[in-house]
Amino acid sequence: MPTDAENACFEAGIKFGSLYHQFAGTPVSPDSADSLARAMEESIENQPHCEAVRVTVRREALEAELADSTADYTELTGRFLDVEIDVRYEGTAVRAKMEMEDGYPLMKLVSVDE
Amino acid sequence: MPTDAENACFEAGIKFGSLYHQFAGTPVSPDSADSLARAMEESIENQPHCEAVRVTVRREALEAELADSTADYTELTGRFLDVEIDVRYEGTAVRAKMEMEDGYPLMKLVSVDE
Amino acid sequence: MPTDAENACFEAGIKFGSLYHQFAGTPVSPDSADSLARAMEESIENQPHCEAVRVTVRREALEAELADSTADYTELTGRFLDVEIDVRYEGTAVRAKMEMEDGYPLMKLVSVDE
Amino acid sequence: MPTDAENACFEAGIKFGSLYHQFAGTPVSPDSADSLARAMEESIENQPHCEAVRVTVRREALEAELADSTADYTELTGRFLDVEIDVRYEGTAVRAKMEMEDGYPLMKLVSVDE
């Protein structure tokens, strides 16, 4: 039988995979970044055991990408995002985040508190 | 060579297919419906030739679905949406919408003005 | 510090959330179900720590849905899917699955072997 | 009233937007590219008025991206794809394609035959 902590970590992973693959590819610009971030937070917070989702669009990375481009928008991908998610499963609280590491967005557990 | 009107209709179709398949499946509840609708509008308005996107979540349909359910959210699908999109390509303005017909969401051209 | 087992469960959750929200909403019919199932398996198996993904489209549920419909395809959603995923993180092997429970698709851990 | 040709172009646009935003972001590697291409073709061919979809993953672009990377897969995006779609609406046949132009994937009408 999985422990509460293991179930909590599984649930945290579901939220991250859901958020990323639901919204990756969405057209995004500096002007539309905030409404997209709010929708990502509020939609994933609907999922079971999800206490809070915090999404920040990395505006400087977005503007740097567009400065090199003839377009005024791009597709959402991990290097434009900072995400932190809090999950609670029975007595266990898990925090996980996505951050850039060696140029790749990496999802990782931050803390598991029983 | 396609005409401006034909290109305008092609562009309108791209916006509808994009909006639907980017966001279908997103977790949605009455409380999170507005932020999702705003993100759908603002993200698709980034696309070329797109003048305006208006998204309304059909709240009564959403609440009816949840009344029959043990869950307090569901997945976004066409029967919870009213969408209208305005596209301009060179001199041609196109309006298209998605509406329910025989229980199915149907995307259709409303007007093509050259 | 999260344990290997907790990281393995987090990784299993990421795979499930990714698979579901990447592919939910895809047009699917009995004839196209197999190619979609193969693509779901092979694409998610690319993700780190993912050993195997097994997807079966529940053909009888799909055919029942279409029998009541004027359309010959529908949108992929959880009630048409059986999914099992194997993840290995360092020394820990995790198996997780998605199955119907009370009319809802539920993702759950099956085993965690250290 | 929109003409058959305008409706055909609208339908072709829907298919392109659907294909792109359903599948953008999918994990893809040289080994899994073929199953993903088949699923993209067969799923979109389910849509009304769609006669044929031809998807080729640009393997050389994919391998070039991975050669510069520590990962052995990446996310599907337009620069890895060649797509051609044939639509028929009443008497009108439309062909459209996606191709790279100035480093961007551009969807365009190829022919409209009444």
Side-chain angles (χ1 to χ4, degrees), chain B residues 20-21 24-25, chain C residues 19-29 32 35-37 39-40 62 73-77 80, chain D residues 18-19 21-23 26 39-44 46-47:
Chain B
Y20 196 81
H21 286 273
Chain C
L19 180 146
Y20 196 81
H21 286 273
Q22 182 63 59
F23 293 102
T26 303
V28 65
S29 63
S32 71
S35 64
L36 183 55
M40 294 171 79
L62 190 56
Y73 74 102
T74 188
E75 297 174 18
L76 186 70
T77 190
F80 302 130
Chain D
S18 298
L19 180 146
H21 286 273
Q22 183 62 58
F23 293 102
T26 303
M40 294 171 79
E41 291 173 344
E42 292 195 13
S43 65
I44 301 301
N46 283 313
Q47 292 190 334

Side-chain angles (χ1 to χ4, degrees), chain C residues 2-112:
Chain C
T3 66
D4 284 354
E6 290 164 354
N7 275 314
C9 293
F10 181 61
E11 291 293 332
I14 292 173
K15 276 64 181 164
F16 258 103
S18 298
L19 180 146
Y20 196 81
H21 286 273
Q22 182 63 59
F23 293 102
T26 303
V28 65
S29 63
D31 282 352
S32 71
D34 284 346
S35 64
L36 183 55
R38 290 303 81 69
M40 294 171 79
E41 292 174 344
E42 293 195 12
S43 64
I44 300 300
E45 285 173 351
N46 284 312
Q47 293 190 334
H49 311 293
C50 190
E51 303 253 296
V53 179
R54 288 173 292 279
V55 175
T56 309
V57 176
R58 303 179 70 227
R59 197 170 286 267
E60 72 291 356
L62 190 56
E63 286 170 354
E65 167 109 352
L66 296 175
D68 293 338
S69 163
T70 57
D72 52 7
Y73 74 102
T74 188
E75 297 174 18
L76 186 70
T77 190
R79 70 181 184 283
F80 302 130
L81 288 175
D82 286 322
V83 182
E84 201 171 58
I85 297 182
D86 294 335
V87 160
R88 177 171 292 276
Y89 186 96
E90 303 293 338
T92 302
V94 165
R95 175 165 293 178
K97 69 175 174 179
M98 190 170 72
E99 65 176 10
M100 297 303 291
E101 209 167 284
D102 298 329
Y104 287 88
L106 192 69
M107 300 171 188
K108 59 196 295 184
L109 291 171
V110 175
S111 61
V112 180

Side-chain angles (χ1 to χ4, degrees), chain A residues 10-24 44 47 85 98 107, chain C residues 10-22 44 47:
Chain A
F10 181 62
E11 292 293 333
I14 291 173
K15 276 62 181 164
F16 258 102
S18 298
L19 179 146
Y20 196 82
H21 286 273
Q22 183 62 58
F23 293 103
I44 300 301
Q47 292 190 333
I85 298 181
M98 190 170 72
M107 300 171 188
Chain C
F10 181 61
E11 291 293 332
I14 292 173
K15 276 64 181 164
F16 258 103
S18 298
L19 180 146
Y20 196 81
H21 286 273
Q22 182 63 59
I44 300 300
Q47 293 190 334

Side-chain angles (χ1 to χ4, degrees), chain D residues 1 3 5 15 24 31 35 45 50 59 61 67-68 70 73 75 78 82 87 92 102 104 110 112-113:
Chain D
M1 286 282 295
T3 65
K15 277 64 182 163
D31 282 353
S35 64
E45 285 173 351
C50 190
R59 197 170 286 267
D68 294 337
T70 58
Y73 75 101
E75 297 175 16
D82 286 321
V87 160
T92 302
D102 298 329
Y104 286 88
V110 175
V112 181
D113 294 315

Side-chain angles (χ1 to χ4, degrees), chain B residues 49-71:
Chain B
H49 311 292
C50 190
E51 303 253 297
V53 179
R54 289 174 292 279
V55 175
T56 310
V57 176
R58 303 180 69 228
R59 198 170 284 268
E60 72 292 356
L62 190 56
E63 286 170 354
E65 167 109 351
L66 295 176
D68 293 338
S69 162
T70 57

